[in-house]
Amino acid sequence: MILNHILGIYTHPREEWATIDKKHENYVYALSHILVIALIPSLVTYYSATQLGWKIGAGDTIRLTEQSALIVSIGLYAGLILGVLALALLVRELAAIFDAKPTYTQSLELAAYTSTPLFMVGFAGLYPQLWFVMSVGLVGLTYSVYLLYSGVPIIMHIPEEKGFIYASSVVTCGLVLLSVLMAATIIVWGSGFGPQFLH
């Protein structure tokens, strides 16, 4: 089953990382996990933007047109998948510095399961209040970082000390990658492809 590691990474992450390391499913399996999990924020974004809307302060409820929401959701889905694939490449490229020799599949597994809590934050969009979404997002980010720090030594077969520095490097690269994706979004929106709002 594609999603069979989700419960484990929330209830007993270290043991689950060891299980993932032992099994090492193929590349398609890890990619399938990302393709399914990335649907959560994308579908919730479409639904929230068209049906629920959001308010800023005491202003009117703002919604997107269905066409705009569809474009935003597809862009989000593609961005999330490309982001995880790029993170997996960064994980693999950084490995040589720390005397690790992972396959791309191992790197993709690490990136995919580490980003799962962030993708699950998408459910927070069903209650589109900024404070709530930001609070849940912070919890998701914190747990993703914890998963990364606990998973790197196990998946990469390196000592805990090296794993800590390796994971810190991956977090830094991940933040740079996130900044690049956000900048690309701003450029696209500023080029006349921004969403259309309904008030």
Side-chain angles (χ1 to χ4, degrees):
M1 187 177 152
I2 290 172
L3 306 176
N4 67 351
H5 294 296
I6 288 183
L7 183 60
I9 62 173
Y10 283 106
T11 56
H12 47 274
R14 289 185 185 273
E15 292 86 350
E16 197 63 33
W17 279 125
T19 303
I20 292 167
D21 183 52
K22 205 180 300 178
K23 289 184 179 177
H24 278 309
E25 288 95 355
N26 62 29
Y27 174 85
V28 174
Y29 188 95
L31 186 60
S32 300
H33 175 85
I34 299 164
L35 294 174
V36 171
I37 293 295
L39 285 171
I40 294 168
S42 305
L43 294 175
V44 171
T45 295
Y46 178 82
Y47 176 76
S48 296
T50 57
Q51 304 302 315
L52 302 176
W54 66 91
K55 284 186 177 185
I56 299 174
D60 295 332
T61 300
I62 301 169
R63 292 183 180 85
L64 295 180
T65 63
E66 289 189 6
Q67 183 180 0
S68 285
L70 183 62
I71 292 168
V72 168
S73 297
I74 291 170
L76 176 62
Y77 185 70
L80 291 173
I81 292 167
L82 289 174
V84 173
L85 294 175
L87 185 61
L89 277 173
L90 288 170
V91 165
R92 187 161 182 220
E93 292 302 315
L94 284 169
I97 300 168
F98 298 95
D99 300 323
K101 295 176 182 174
T103 63
Y104 184 71
T105 300
Q106 288 173 291
S107 302
L108 186 59
E109 285 174 332
L110 185 67
Y113 293 114
T114 295
S115 28
T116 296
L118 281 175
F119 288 9
M120 300 294 259
V121 167
F123 283 121
L126 294 172
Y127 183 66
Q129 297 292 327
L130 184 60
W131 67 268
F132 179 72
V133 174
M134 294 297 286
S135 299
V136 174
L138 185 59
V139 171
L141 178 62
T142 302
Y143 198 71
S144 282
V145 170
Y146 169 73
L147 282 177
L148 180 66
Y149 279 96
S150 63
V152 161
I154 297 167
I155 298 292
M156 298 297 159
H157 304 281
I158 56 177
E160 292 267 345
E161 308 78 45
K162 276 189 180 179
F164 181 83
I165 299 168
Y166 187 177
S168 299
S169 302
V170 173
V171 168
T172 304
C173 289
L175 290 173
V176 170
L177 187 60
L178 181 62
S179 300
V180 168
L181 286 172
M182 291 173 70
T185 302
I186 292 168
I187 290 168
V188 169
W189 283 22
S191 301
F193 295 101
Q196 294 179 338
F197 297 94
L198 294 173
H199 294 277

